[in-house]
């Protein structure tokens, strides 16, 4: 992050609150004290404000602020943009559907690091949070799990950057290969909303579809490797290195161990596959015969819902390590027929899910074996250990 004064007071104007001020810096409390002594009051969201009632009062307040800021060692900066909270509300009101806007202020430069772990971005927004001063952001939410981050564009006199937060409790967002790229927005709300609606949101939907698909396919590949190894051992009576089994009675224990492992991965299938299947339209693809396989996959998911619900209930309780392992083995064995169905029909699922990418054309050629989603190189930045926002 580029160096900044220890204490800044950033001023902007708001149609509802008048003159708005945000203290920022390692010693931001100095700026807050200066604002309070100059007559500013805290407003919802954490900023300070005074109404712009008349010219004389405004000049008096400005003079008081300059003196108080000097006493507290704070530098005053005037923004050419309107108050970020106002622009966020204007943008939210123009997006399709119902969106809300919530202002978050990061008075201390260290606080903005908390954003890093939850941002899902491969563009300028992530770079700005990593390397520039970001005093605040507006979180835009539509009530369906989509959260977007809006910040003032650093190094520019106007404009904004908008990108996405990760959704659905995804982790490891830093180098996630499907992350959408944030976009620069103009300062005019109508034009900004049009760019978000026509450019960013469709790209975000496609990226989320690919991320869900990759998550399901990776889960199936982990299960498949262990499943095939187990079947080979059972058929040959030998370990994978050729050493004979000492006792055939070890097989049931190996099956329980596999079931424990498989359930941990199959939970990803149960979580993310339903929405992918809901978008599949085999009749509109070159593979209409996949319809039967998709029906089997849906039935397998339905048959596993009771086990999934039981797993969720247990995860909310205190359980010993051994107890968890035993429970997972039970869940894996209970859903083994469903797991085997998904392993058998995974190729039909993959090609149909890839053909169902939102806003994309139907795929015209069969997908390559296994994981097919493109995986670009991760950004050349250090991995952050910052906590979730």
């Amino acid at each position: 992050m580029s160096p900044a004064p220890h204490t800044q007071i950033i001023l902007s104007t708001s149609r509802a609150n008048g003159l708005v001020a945000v203290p920022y810096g390692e010693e931001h409390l100095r700026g807050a004290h200066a604002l309070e002594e100059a007559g500013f009051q805290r407003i919802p969201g954490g900023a300070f404000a005074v109404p712009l009632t008349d010219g004389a009062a405004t000049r008096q307040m400005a003079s008081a602020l300059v003196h108080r800021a000097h006493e507290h060692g704070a530098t005053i900066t005037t923004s050419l943009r309107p108050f970020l909270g106002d622009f966020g509300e204007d943008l939210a009101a123009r997006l399709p559907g119902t969106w809300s806007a919530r202002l978050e202020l990061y008075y201390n430069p260290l606080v903005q690091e908390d954003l890093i772990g939850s941002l899902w971005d491969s563009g300028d927004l992530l770079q700005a949070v990593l390397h520039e001063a970001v005093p605040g952001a507006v979180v835009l939410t539509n009530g369906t799990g989509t959260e977007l981050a809006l910040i003032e564009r650093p190094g520019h006199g106007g404009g904004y950057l908008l990108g996405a937060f990760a959704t659905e409790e995804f982790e490891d967002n830093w180098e996630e290969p499907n992350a959408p790229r944030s976009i620069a927005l103009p300062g005019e709300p109508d034009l900004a909303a049009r760019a978000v609606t026509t450019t960013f949101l469709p790209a975000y939907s496609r990226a989320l579809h690919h991320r869900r698909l990759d998550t399901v396919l990776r889960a199936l590949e982990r299960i498949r490797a262990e499943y095939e190894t187990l079947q080979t051992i059972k058929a040959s009576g030998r370990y994978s290195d050729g050493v004979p089994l000492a006792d055939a009675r070890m097989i049931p224990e190996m099956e329980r161990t596999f079931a424990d492992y498989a359930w941990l991965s199959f939970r990803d299938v149960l979580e993310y596959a339903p929405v992918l299947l809901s978008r599949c339209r085999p009749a509109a693809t070159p593979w209409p015969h996949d319809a039967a396989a998709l029906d089997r996959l849906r039935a397998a998911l339905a048959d596993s819902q009771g086990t999934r619900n039981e797993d969720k209930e247990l995860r909310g309780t205190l359980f010993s390590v051994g107890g968890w392992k035993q429970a997972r083995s039970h869940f894996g064995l209970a859903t083994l027929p469903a797991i085997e169905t998904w392993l058998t029909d995974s190729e039909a699922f993959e090609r149909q899910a890839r053909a169902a990418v939102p806003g994309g054309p139907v795929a015209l050629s069969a997908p390559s074996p296994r994981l097919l989603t493109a995986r670009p190189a991760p950004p050349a930045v250090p991995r952050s250990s910052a906590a979730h926002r």
Side-chain angles (χ1 to χ4, degrees):
M1 188 185 305
S2 58
H6 289 302
T7 307
Q8 286 181 280
I9 295 174
I10 304 170
L11 299 177
S12 59
T13 57
S14 166
R15 59 176 177 273
N17 298 294
L19 186 63
V20 178
V22 175
Y24 178 77
E26 294 177 1
E27 300 179 13
H28 60 90
L29 290 178
R30 291 176 177 267
H33 292 324
L35 289 166
E36 291 170 342
E37 293 171 7
F40 282 72
Q41 301 291 322
R42 281 191 183 271
I43 60 175
F48 294 78
V50 293
L52 296 174
T53 53
D54 59 72
T58 299
R59 286 191 295 273
Q60 182 178 4
M61 178 279 306
S63 176
L65 177 60
V66 169
H67 284 88
R68 298 304 184 192
H70 179 73
E71 291 174 356
H72 288 279
T75 300
I76 298 175
T77 301
T78 302
S79 174
L80 299 179
R81 301 177 178 91
F83 178 48
L84 179 61
D86 285 0
F87 185 84
E89 292 178 357
D90 290 342
L91 179 60
R94 289 164 171 78
L95 295 179
T98 302
W99 290 77
S100 63
R102 182 182 77 254
L103 177 68
E104 294 184 349
L105 296 179
Y106 316 119
Y107 305 116
N108 192 314
L110 295 177
V111 175
Q112 77 187 57
E113 293 181 4
D114 292 345
L115 281 174
I116 296 171
S118 54
L119 280 178
W120 188 40
D121 181 57
S122 58
D124 291 341
L125 175 64
L126 176 61
Q127 296 304 315
V129 173
L130 284 170
H131 303 299
E132 306 291 343
V134 180
V138 168
V139 179
L140 300 165
T141 308
N142 71 350
T144 63
T146 301
E147 282 193 338
L148 308 180
L150 174 76
I151 67 170
E152 294 179 343
R153 191 177 184 187
H156 293 72
Y160 303 84
L161 292 175
L162 179 132
F165 287 113
T167 187
E168 299 175 337
E169 300 183 357
F170 276 124
E171 298 177 352
D172 297 326
N173 305 306
W174 183 272
E175 296 176 345
E176 208 286 316
N178 299 302
R181 293 188 64 84
S182 49
I183 62 171
L185 300 179
E188 207 286 317
D190 286 331
L191 295 177
R194 188 175 307 146
V196 175
T197 302
T198 61
T199 302
F200 184 80
L201 288 178
Y204 169 84
S205 294
R206 290 190 292 271
L208 183 56
H209 183 95
H210 283 303
R211 185 169 195 182
R212 287 166 172 161
L213 177 56
D214 273 7
T215 302
V216 171
L217 294 179
R218 282 195 295 266
L220 292 174
E221 286 308 289
R222 291 193 299 270
I223 297 171
R224 186 188 306 279
E226 295 299 320
Y227 181 81
E228 292 178 348
T229 297
L230 177 60
Q231 299 310 306
T232 299
I233 292 174
K234 291 168 66 176
S236 66
R238 295 175 178 272
Y239 290 106
S240 55
D241 59 2
V243 176
L245 288 178
D247 190 338
R249 288 176 295 181
M250 298 176 64
I251 294 295
E253 179 58 31
M254 297 175 70
E255 290 176 332
R256 285 191 291 271
T257 300
F258 163 76
D260 173 17
Y261 177 87
W263 176 251
L264 290 174
S265 291
F266 195 58
R267 288 192 306 201
D268 283 344
V269 179
L270 296 174
E271 179 72 23
Y272 302 114
V275 67
L276 297 170
L277 281 173
S278 70
R279 293 179 177 151
C280 293
R281 302 290 183 270
T285 73
W287 314 282
H289 57 276
D290 284 342
L294 298 190
D295 287 342
R296 291 192 293 271
L297 295 176
R298 293 187 183 96
L301 292 181
D303 291 342
S304 304
Q305 285 307 307
T307 305
R308 183 190 182 201
N309 293 337
E310 187 179 352
D311 172 72
K312 286 184 174 181
E313 291 176 4
L314 278 180
R315 275 187 277 165
T317 64
L318 294 176
F319 226 48
S320 67
V321 174
W324 271 118
K325 180 178 176 61
Q326 185 177 0
R328 291 194 304 262
S329 295
H330 166 72
F331 297 148
L333 290 172
T335 56
L336 184 56
I339 291 173
E340 290 175 334
T341 297
W342 271 86
L343 293 178
T344 299
D345 291 324
S346 61
E347 291 185 5
F349 164 76
E350 179 182 356
R351 61 175 167 256
Q352 289 296 329
R354 288 189 60 80
V357 174
V362 171
L364 297 180
S365 60
S368 59
R370 311 304 177 218
L371 210 56
L372 203 104
T373 303
R375 298 182 179 280
V381 290
R383 188 176 182 85
S384 169
S385 59
H388 190 278
R389 157 179 73 92

